[in-house]
Amino acid sequence: MSGPAVATELTASSIIVLPTGAIEHHGAHLPLNTDALIAGSVAEAAVVQGRSHGLDLWLLPTLTYTKSDEHAWAPGTMWLSAETLWATLVDLGRSIAATPARTVVFVNGHGGNTALLGVALRELRRRYGLATFSMPAGVQRAGRGAEGEPDERGLGIHAGFGETSLVMHLRPDLVDLGLAERNVPDFVAESEYIGFNGYPVSFGWTSDDFGSGVIGDPTGANAQAGADLLAESVRRGVGALTEIAGFSPLLRSGEAAVTPAQS
């Protein structure tokens, strides 16, 4: 789109979709742009499908360089500090607020961004009157130890079965499965309270705390599983965007948006 087209084609009901990825270590078998690739692919497919269903969706380019300091030890990782990413998210919110659109959805492909995005949602809401949402991009499911899948003991969170299968489907030329190695930290799997993603007790970690930086088992990954995960991710994405489009209480009647000049 051109600048003038943004001013005339976007409306207050338009939804801006902004994928957030990363450039970071994903073991020896996956490319550095894994998270950006998955986030961008899921977001684009969901926007295309959602628009075919009548949703007023608009896709921004993927925010590729983000908060990947848990992989800072690994060559090739390109990471921003929390302060830099925070300032970037606020500046992007200010820019979106300068368009007619009043809703922004972050489709996030990197777990290291999750906490900061959650805080940014309220900041952009408060500063600019935007309706703000964040959701994960790909469906991340640990291998279940059945039907040819590896048993990841619920810990396939980074460069494991799910991510590797997705990239094998999206860009098989970027995957070298011959270099894939299992790395499931049993001491985490055996903990009752301490863990990743929703456990009662979270902990600070860097990926080299677990050896290779892979957390999961990519050895059983395959393109068909990736295709299934992508389809599920897009289906969920369209469903979420449909619900967001009807989530009107955030855009209260008569609410005055804060202009960029006021920020």
Side-chain angles (χ1 to χ4, degrees), residues 157-220:
I157 70 164
H158 185 71
F161 171 75
E163 274 194 321
T164 303
S165 294
L166 277 164
V167 181
M168 289 180 73
H169 170 63
L170 292 168
R171 287 291 304 273
D173 56 307
L174 299 181
V175 182
D176 187 347
L177 206 57
L179 298 177
E181 295 181 354
R182 177 182 175 86
N183 188 41
V184 175
D186 291 329
F187 74 95
V188 178
E190 291 163 2
S191 298
E192 181 179 355
Y193 299 104
I194 304 171
F196 307 104
N197 301 336
Y199 270 72
V201 179
S202 58
F203 63 105
W205 55 273
T206 60
S207 61
D208 57 338
D209 290 336
F210 311 103
S212 68
V214 172
I215 306 175
D217 186 352
T219 59

